[in-house]
Amino acid sequence: MHKTITGFSKLSKSEKIDWIVDTYFSNNDNAEIILKQYWNSDDKIQQLHDEFIENTITNYYLPFGIAPNFLINGQTYTIPMTIEESSVVAAASKAAKFWFDRGGFQTKVISSTKIGQVHFTYDGNTEDLTSFFNVVKPKFYEDTSSITKSMEKRGGGILDIELKNKTEDLENYYQLHATFDTVDAMGANFINSCLEQFATTLKANAEPSLSGNINIIMSILSNYVPNCLVRAEVSCKVEDLTENPNISPEAFAEKFIQAVNIAEIEPYRAVTHNKGIMNGIDAVVLATGNDFRAVEAGVHAYASRNGTYSSLTHAEVKDGIFKFWMEIPLALGTVGGLTSLHPLVKLALEMLGKPSAKELMQIVAVAGLAQNFAALRSLTTTGIQEGHMKMHLMNILNQFEATPEEKETLVSHFKTNAVTHSSVLENINKLRANN
Ligand code: MEV
């Protein structure tokens, strides 16, 4: 059992490191060195990172890659991607190039409304509550005017506030269900501030006129955003669909659509299928400083909206045209939060031409669709492992601390040999024995 500590957050960074090293790494001389190796040499950048979260002792790097040649609504983009998994950026780049030559991606934002709720209980008469709500409704807007002022200037604000009766599902349970337009902000802080004020206003005005008691349970935005929806699509003539000599375009289209059909009806496959989409989506969401947990939660809820978890993408052939598309909910921001703080995030957004939140929704959706196209193309033709293991080779070589010369020899060897963990190890050992 390790000792517990009180007042840890009050310690300085170096005292925190001393404590963790003494407590967990008494037999590991490298622990402190590793922690400090990841500090940024620029004190200002390090301080910025220290202050993003609490109890920071070091930084955790992820690779920041770029996928060029994306044509979206006639405009070319290079998409920044932050991800640890090999093959993802290569797959995105390949799919981008493939569709660049076939008219590119077409996208549009279908809707951009976000939702927040005040959850409360009320043990009186529902009609009473409804008339009270109608009387007090303008006060919700009045009391939040200092919060909504600058959002309204930017064209957003509170769209509507409804009273929802949920007592059939849970005794005495009601909601204030509010919709918001947060323009270029992801909007979590704005929405939560409005909601907490609604709760205060509701409670403050309630007691005298009502037959029951209002008890506020909580006020929080919803990460389920089915009305913050973006569509991305590619299409081309079936005959242009593949340059692969081992499969005809018609056979490829048929297999590809069948793969999508399977993901539409089979949850075990749908989860992996959608995971591949999220490889692209999360990587851009992270690179642009957005909240990937919120996006993940919302997207998977949307994938289950009809009662069974299902594919986010769809495909068809009609009149000789192959079409592949996706509609997904994405709550993103291009102002506020990390977007104006993190130097790499700022650079990523600049690379994308300083997009509005709506433009970013379209770019992110394209990264997801491209990723799914690339995955399904490999899966239904060569299989995923061939390309994957080649990319994985470098990770294995690094794991065994291969020298640049060893890497060169082994990359060349594995151009024509199957990559497995044990075969790489065997070949490194052979090389080392001969030197
Ligand atoms: C791997 O990260 C993602 C895939 O499994 C996606 C898929 O199976 O469609 C290749």
Side-chain angles (χ1 to χ4, degrees):
M1 271 292 267
H2 289 292
K3 57 186 175 187
T4 57
I5 179 167
T6 46
F8 183 71
S9 66
K10 307 261 171 1
L11 299 182
S12 69
K13 187 161 139 189
S14 64
E15 286 167 337
K16 283 179 186 136
I17 290 180
D18 288 347
W19 180 81
I20 198 92
V21 168
D22 287 348
T23 310
Y24 292 93
F25 302 103
S26 50
N27 298 323
N28 180 352
D29 294 342
N30 273 333
E32 186 170 347
I33 296 171
I34 292 170
L35 289 173
K36 292 186 174 172
Q37 257 172 357
Y38 283 86
W39 284 5
N40 198 289
S41 55
D42 182 328
D43 289 347
K44 265 188 164 167
I45 293 190
Q46 188 50 56
Q47 196 187 341
L48 194 67
H49 282 71
D50 286 352
E51 290 172 4
F52 282 150
I53 61 163
E54 309 73 38
N55 294 347
T56 309
I57 52 171
T58 189
N59 309 310
Y60 184 99
Y61 295 166
L62 285 176
F64 179 103
I66 50 170
N69 300 322
F70 273 97
L71 186 64
I72 307 176
N73 301 335
Q75 211 175 318
T76 310
Y77 292 86
T78 295
I79 298 189
M81 302 179 83
T82 296
I83 188 161
E84 86 301 341
E85 184 176 335
S86 58
S87 297
V88 169
V89 176
S93 305
K94 260 176 122 174
K97 187 72 186 61
F98 180 88
W99 285 107
F100 194 98
D101 300 332
R102 291 162 179 79
F105 295 81
Q106 309 303 319
T107 61
K108 72 169 184 224
V109 170
I110 297 168
S111 51
S112 57
T113 303
K114 288 157 189 165
I115 288 162
Q117 298 166 320
V118 177
H119 305 269
F120 66 97
T121 55
Y122 170 69
D123 54 7
N125 176 307
T126 301
E127 276 158 23
D128 239 27
L129 183 68
T130 309
S131 11
F132 161 69
F133 169 77
N134 290 330
V135 171
V136 88
K137 191 171 172 181
K139 260 202 116 356
F140 293 133
Y141 292 90
E142 274 165 40
D143 292 357
T144 48
S145 63
S146 62
I147 308 170
T148 55
K149 200 169 155 198
S150 70
M151 187 61 86
E152 280 170 6
K153 265 197 204 137
R154 288 186 267 142
I158 303 162
L159 300 176
D160 196 13
I161 309 163
E162 292 168 83
L163 173 70
K164 292 212 171 176
N165 179 350
K166 306 291 272 185
T167 52
E168 278 194 9
D169 299 324
L170 190 63
E171 200 183 355
N172 295 340
Y173 171 39
Y174 294 85
Q175 300 168 347
L176 295 182
H177 181 98
T179 44
F180 301 86
D181 179 351
T182 59
V183 200
D184 286 329
M186 191 268 193
N189 277 333
F190 170 75
I191 294 174
N192 290 335
S193 300
C194 289
L195 294 171
E196 289 189 2
Q197 181 57 55
F198 296 163
T200 307
T201 301
L202 185 73
K203 190 75 186 154
N205 289 273
E207 269 77 20
S209 59
L210 283 169
S211 59
N213 269 322
I214 285 181
N215 189 17
I216 304 289
I217 308 296
M218 59 189 162
S219 310
I220 187 75
L221 91 167
S222 172
N223 290 124
Y224 186 42
V225 284
N227 292 319
C228 189
L229 209 59
V230 58
R231 179 185 170 96
E233 177 184 314
V234 284
S235 63
C236 71
K237 287 188 192 150
V238 170
E239 67 214 49
D240 295 337
L241 200 50
T242 175
E243 295 138 353
N244 183 341
N246 300 319
I247 187 165
S248 74
E250 293 73 21
F252 172 69
E254 201 179 315
K255 247 182 142 179
F256 189 99
I257 291 170
Q258 199 58 5
V260 175
N261 292 343
I262 290 168
E264 279 172 346
I265 57 106
E266 165 55 56
Y268 280 98
R269 174 55 203 153
V271 170
T272 318
H273 177 98
N274 290 347
K275 187 272 182 188
I277 295 170
M278 299 315 286
N279 279 345
I281 289 183
D282 283 343
V284 191
V285 168
L286 258 178
T288 56
N290 274 279
D291 182 343
F292 64 92
R293 288 87 54 210
V295 166
E296 281 277 344
V299 166
H300 294 297
Y302 186 75
S304 329
R305 69 194 178 286
N306 297 324
T308 308
Y309 189 90
S310 177
S311 170
L312 292 160
T313 54
H314 309 282
E316 67 175 25
V317 169
K318 225 181 193 173
D319 303 326
I321 303 290
F322 169 84
K323 194 159 94 178
F324 179 49
W325 73 97
M326 170 170 78
E327 286 179 9
I328 48 159
L330 286 174
L332 301 176
T334 55
V335 298
L338 273 200
T339 59
S340 46
L341 283 180
H342 195 299
L344 265 175
V345 166
K346 285 202 265 183
L347 214 68
L349 289 168
E350 204 175 320
M351 193 188 304
L352 292 172
K354 299 197 175 150
S356 64
K358 282 188 180 152
E359 283 161 347
L360 186 61
M361 284 167 77
Q362 297 172 70
I363 294 164
V364 169
V366 162
L369 190 71
Q371 210 62 47
N372 191 226
F373 179 79
L376 293 184
R377 188 167 60 165
S378 306
L379 286 168
T380 55
T381 55
T382 57
I384 208 77
Q385 279 313 86
E386 184 187 284
H388 212 86
M389 290 314 282
K390 288 240 158 79
M391 297 293 292
H392 193 48
L393 173 61
M394 206 42 82
N395 285 348
I396 306 175
L397 291 174
N398 283 333
Q399 191 188 330
F400 292 115
E401 296 180 356
T403 63
E405 295 74 30
E406 286 172 339
K407 280 182 186 167
E408 201 182 320
T409 312
L410 292 172
V411 165
S412 154
H413 170 82
F414 282 107
K415 276 198 176 126
T416 48
N417 291 281
V419 177
T420 64
H421 203 266
S422 59
S423 68
V424 176
L425 180 59
E426 197 179 299
N427 277 277
I428 289 188
N429 286 339
K430 240 195 255 166
L431 264 186
R432 290 178 177 170
N434 292 338
N435 284 329

